[in-house]
Amino acid sequence: MREDVQALDIRDVTANWVNAAVLEAQIEDRIKALADLSHTPLFFGRLDYLHAVGADEAEGAEGERFYIGRRHVHDADGDPMVIDWRAPVSQPFYQASKKNPLDVGLRRRFGYTAGELTAYEDEHLSDPTETAQSSKLLQAEIERPRVGPMRDIVATIQPEQDEIVRSGLGGSVCVQGGPGTGKTAVGLHRVAYLLYAHRDRLARTGTLVIGPNASFLHYIEQVLPALGELEVKQATVDELVASGPGQVRVRGVDSAATAVVKGDARMAQVLRRAVRSHVTLPTEPVMVVRGSRRWRVPAYELEELVRELLDRDIRYGAAHDALPQRIAHAVLVQMERSGEAPDDRVQDAVARNPAVKAAVKAVWPAVDPAKLVLRLLSDADFLAEHAEGLLTAEEQKALLWEKPPRSLKTAKWSSADAVLIDEANDLVSRTHSLGHVVLDEAQDLSPMQYRAVGRRCSTGSATVLGDLAQGTTPWATASWAEALAHLGKPDAVVEELTAGFRVPREVIAYASRLLPAISPGLTEVASVRESPGSLEVRAVDAAGTPVASPSATDTTDTTHTGTPHTGAPDTRAPDTRALDAAVVAACVESLRHEGSIGLIAADARIPALAAALSAADLPYLAPGEETTAASRLTLVPASLAKGLEYDYVVLDEPSAVVAGEPDDRTGLRRLYVALTRAVSGLIVVHGSPLPDELDTPWAGSAG
């Protein structure tokens, strides 16, 4: 198929060089979409229908057979050989069951190793004598070692995931999913499905995937291209607002208290008041001179025009552009009354008249969003005037710069400031809306960040992905209802994924001990993966000797009291060099396994661990750098671990991870994230006592 496209000759089918350039670009994109992936088979399943698809069963039409793959494949005559997984005829591959076979007689799954067919597995769904069994190939694919970026899951999509993936474009969907439930993969595959089902519409309006940081986006960036989708853009929220008009360079960092206030939804009303405050009701008439005639628009009539624009509540910039035309129209009415017959050209000329332009400048002056935000953060009186009744005196004080900058360029803007400028930009002129936006790790956004994302899909739809238990910012959302309201999608359907396919049962049960403290009432992930021995907790004593912590792996204790921590005979904190050595030893041990290794630690511990790894001659990568067979160890600051996954994880000093955050709840949530990055095994190494929540099993942690 790719060779056919490469052989196309467009010299005789294009009228001009513009058409030729456009067609050549489309051909290049098509060739890229048809690129072979050596490790990825063209098909992974087969469906044998009992009857012809779409035919009446009473007619006794002979059944049909379809091979299911990542994309459509046809032969030299154009006949289909492999059906795209997104096609309606492919849906029973994911949805059919013994209870509801959907007219499927046989479902076959193929097993591959390095792209070569190595096994297959059959399910006779319509045979009542065959009992339902779990798929070993499916389990093997889920557990396959992870080296390199995130991969697609088209061969392993589960029924509840498939329903979300195939939900329509018209409505927005919010997916609450704990660690390992596949929510990120579901969101990406939903984009691929929507592009398949609504390609023309989304080609015009655009799609966007928003992630928490650059490392995360790099990790997921190959999923959609592997499915032949090359047009989806990816960005962080910071990059999103930085691409807006009049944006500034971010160089500063806010304190947690200041960032919380700047991210509060009340700031939208403060900005709205500040923008509208520039409007001044006219007190003087406008005198327009044209030739030998003078036309006077009285002040009361100008005031009516201004009040009408204010009442209509249109964008400030749109009203600024409309006012001169309104004044010009008032002049034209007078001209017509005097017997003249002015046309649109005359109205445009009057709107450009110096007297009209001067009146508009005085009544409805242009507003620079960045300068407006600069004044709010620098001028206490201006802020107090527009924050009255919205922000307390303490909150206003938190917003103000201690030393106001002299200009826009010298100001040390923060990420939260950029979001405020983006809001002000939208108050002045409408932000362009896309057809569909995927927002991942959404629980960490502030209300103002939700509003910034919502503006990008105000006329489109959204897929919101996240886990309330993994909210690791001081402004993390308390509920999806609240978040969706700020996003402008209050009617979005909230789906919950509770079946875990990635994190072993022992590991998720251990991490779930934190749930009562970090997100009470949230459903614990029920892992389908049993992996005995996948969790080990090692306490390092004062002499640097690793000692197993038996209470840590006791996930069968269903009481809330649990067993007190007895991991090390000497509970004094060890010399950090001894702790570093124990961590390095755990990494060496993990590297004996196949797959990727992640060493996760509090941000403050990263330099010491980097030095220890270098001293031990262990090469390591930074988050976002692609693992290879020769370099499989990644050193991950806890602040960047969210959304990433590794076959084996070594977690350094949990108490340091908690202490690195501004409050205990945020710290425990950060620890919950770090504990749930492992696909096959987790080793926790600690010198200081573990957080009390980890030392106390709770009722939900029963294995």
Side-chain angles (χ1 to χ4, degrees):
M1 290 170 64
R2 187 176 64 253
E3 290 171 354
D4 288 344
V5 178
Q6 291 172 328
L8 289 175
D9 186 349
I10 63 172
R11 287 176 295 181
D12 297 329
V13 298
T14 53
N16 52 54
W17 69 270
V18 176
N19 291 346
V22 171
L23 190 54
E24 285 176 2
Q26 292 175 340
I27 290 174
E28 288 178 7
D29 288 343
R30 178 64 174 161
I31 292 171
K32 291 178 183 177
L34 290 171
D36 278 330
L37 301 175
S38 59
H39 62 283
T40 302
L42 286 177
F43 63 93
F44 51 80
R46 192 183 98 187
L47 288 177
D48 290 4
Y49 280 88
L50 297 176
H51 305 86
V53 175
D56 188 343
E57 294 184 13
E59 297 176 1
E62 186 177 345
E64 294 181 271
R65 172 178 296 172
F66 299 97
Y67 285 86
I68 312 300
R70 285 164 175 77
R71 63 189 72 179
H72 169 83
V73 181
H74 62 248
D75 62 17
D77 297 323
D79 295 326
M81 299 178 67
V82 178
I83 306 298
D84 195 299
W85 66 276
R86 298 166 286 188
V89 75
S90 302
Q91 188 169 8
F93 185 80
Y94 305 105
Q95 293 286 344
S97 65
K98 293 291 290 186
K99 292 182 178 180
N100 185 21
L102 299 175
D103 199 42
V104 173
L106 179 142
R107 172 170 56 200
R108 174 170 290 180
R109 300 181 190 275
F110 294 97
Y112 289 86
T113 301
E116 292 188 357
L117 178 65
T118 54
Y120 67 88
E121 185 179 72
D122 288 347
E123 297 173 86
H124 297 86
L125 299 177
S126 299
D127 184 354
T129 64
E130 184 178 288
T131 58
Q133 295 180 345
S134 59
S135 170
K136 294 181 180 178
L137 285 181
L138 190 66
Q139 190 71 19
E141 174 63 21
I142 291 172
E143 297 178 2
R144 184 156 55 93
R146 285 152 170 75
V147 175
M150 182 179 180
R151 54 179 182 255
D152 66 75
I153 62 164
V154 290
T156 62
I157 294 174
Q158 299 301 295
E160 63 272 19
Q161 296 173 329
D162 187 64
E163 290 177 2
I164 298 172
V165 167
R166 295 177 190 266
S167 54
L169 177 62
S172 294
V173 178
C174 175
V175 182
Q176 158 65 39
T181 56
K183 57 185 179 295
T184 296
V186 166
L188 294 174
H189 286 70
R190 175 161 158 74
V191 171
Y193 172 77
L194 292 176
L195 286 168
Y196 174 87
H198 308 278
R199 190 168 300 279
D200 290 342
R201 179 176 171 182
L202 290 177
R204 295 192 305 270
T205 56
T207 52
L208 175 69
V209 174
I210 302 174
N213 52 58
S215 298
F216 176 83
L217 292 177
H218 181 73
Y219 177 62
I220 68 170
E221 67 183 358
Q222 294 302 319
V223 174
L224 289 169
L227 301 174
E229 302 298 347
L230 307 172
E231 300 302 318
V232 180
K233 293 181 171 55
Q234 297 181 348
T236 64
V237 174
D238 288 347
E239 291 170 342
L240 196 65
V241 299
S243 63
Q247 266 300 347
V248 294
R249 188 162 67 95
V250 173
R251 297 187 300 154
V253 178
D254 290 318
S255 67
T258 298
V260 168
V261 180
K262 288 182 178 179
D264 195 289
R266 292 172 293 168
M267 288 302 300
Q269 184 62 21
V270 173
L271 288 167
R272 178 182 172 82
R273 289 179 179 179
V275 169
R276 294 283 168 170
S277 72
H278 289 76
V279 178
T280 305
L281 293 177
T283 58
E284 299 292 334
V286 173
M287 189 70 70
V288 177
V289 179
R290 282 187 58 81
S292 61
R293 300 290 300 271
R294 294 189 177 191
W295 308 97
R296 181 176 180 273
V297 182
Y300 75 86
E301 189 172 349
L302 291 174
E303 182 178 337
E304 289 177 357
L305 295 176
V306 172
R307 289 190 182 277
E308 180 188 355
L309 288 172
L310 286 171
D311 292 342
R312 288 187 59 192
D313 199 26
I314 61 177
R315 293 292 195 284
Y316 185 91
H320 170 83
D321 295 338
L323 185 55
Q325 289 290 337
R326 298 295 181 90
I327 297 173
H329 179 72
V331 172
L332 259 66
V333 169
Q334 295 184 32
M335 290 180 176
E336 289 171 347
R337 287 174 182 168
S338 68
E340 294 189 21
D343 56 18
D344 290 344
R345 290 174 296 176
V346 175
Q347 179 168 328
D348 290 340
V350 173
R352 295 192 299 269
N353 185 277
V356 174
K357 294 170 72 173
V360 171
K361 184 177 180 179
V363 172
W364 206 295
V367 170
D368 184 312
K371 289 181 179 179
L372 176 76
V373 174
L374 178 67
R375 186 179 177 190
L376 275 173
L377 301 180
S378 305
D379 188 334
D381 293 336
F382 186 67
L383 175 61
E385 177 185 353
H386 302 298
E388 184 180 358
L390 293 172
L391 303 178
T392 66
E394 291 77 12
E395 289 173 326
Q396 293 178 39
K397 184 178 179 181
L399 288 175
L400 291 168
W401 276 315
E402 292 183 6
K403 185 179 180 181
R406 295 181 179 179
S407 66
L408 293 175
K409 291 185 178 180
T410 60
K412 290 187 177 181
W413 299 100
S414 68
S415 295
D417 296 333
V419 176
L420 294 179
I421 295 172
D422 190 73
E423 178 84 25
N425 267 321
D426 188 67
L427 290 168
V428 174
S429 57
R430 183 181 295 277
T431 304
H432 173 68
S433 176
L434 300 168
H436 193 77
V437 169
V438 175
L439 176 60
D440 205 352
E441 301 296 348
Q443 73 280 345
D444 275 339
L445 269 60
S446 70
M448 291 299 288
Q449 288 176 317
Y450 281 120
R451 291 176 62 87
V453 174
R455 287 191 284 275
R456 270 73 182 183
C457 56
S458 58
T459 58
S461 56
T463 299
V464 180
L465 312 166
D467 179 12
L468 295 177
Q470 296 186 59
T472 52
T473 56
W475 50 83
T477 189
S479 71
W480 289 123
E482 177 184 317
L484 293 169
H486 293 312
L487 192 68
K489 307 293 182 184
D491 298 327
V493 176
V494 180
E495 303 280 0
E496 187 171 10
L497 297 175
T498 58
F501 304 98
R502 175 173 58 80
V503 185
R505 188 173 298 176
E506 280 185 278
V507 174
I508 196 65
Y510 183 57
S512 294
R513 297 180 181 187
L514 301 175
L515 285 179
I518 62 178
S519 195
L522 199 65
T523 304
E524 177 186 353
V525 171
S527 178
V528 301
R529 296 186 55 202
E530 292 188 36
S531 184
S534 57
L535 172 66
E536 185 176 352
V537 180
R538 300 175 181 174
V540 181
D541 64 15
T545 305
V547 182
S549 299
S551 66
T553 55
D554 181 16
T555 58
T556 59
D557 185 345
T558 58
T559 67
H560 282 269
T561 54
T563 305
H565 174 64
T566 58
D570 186 345
T571 57
R572 292 174 298 164
D575 183 283
T576 56
R577 289 173 297 178
L579 179 62
D580 296 345
V583 170
V584 170
C587 290
V588 172
E589 181 180 330
S590 298
L591 283 166
R592 296 180 187 137
H593 299 288
E594 185 181 2
S596 58
I597 314 298
L599 169 55
I600 303 177
D603 292 31
R605 288 272 297 147
I606 293 298
L609 291 175
L613 291 174
S614 298
D617 200 25
L618 280 181
Y620 61 90
L621 305 168
E625 294 181 335
E626 188 170 327
T627 55
T628 64
S631 187
R632 298 184 289 123
L633 175 63
T634 303
L635 179 58
V636 187
S639 62
L640 297 181
K642 190 171 297 179
L644 306 179
E645 60 181 25
Y646 302 93
D647 287 289
Y648 292 86
V649 166
V650 177
L651 175 59
D652 167 81
E653 200 64 278
S655 62
V657 174
V658 177
E661 300 299 328
D663 59 81
D664 284 346
R665 191 188 74 160
T666 303
L668 290 172
R669 286 183 168 184
R670 184 74 72 188
L671 178 58
Y672 181 75
V673 172
L675 286 167
T676 54
R677 300 303 95 201
V679 175
S680 298
L682 169 67
I683 300 176
V684 179
V685 183
H686 68 99
S688 301
L690 290 169
D692 292 341
E693 292 80 2
L694 280 184
D695 259 350
T696 305
W698 66 289
S701 290

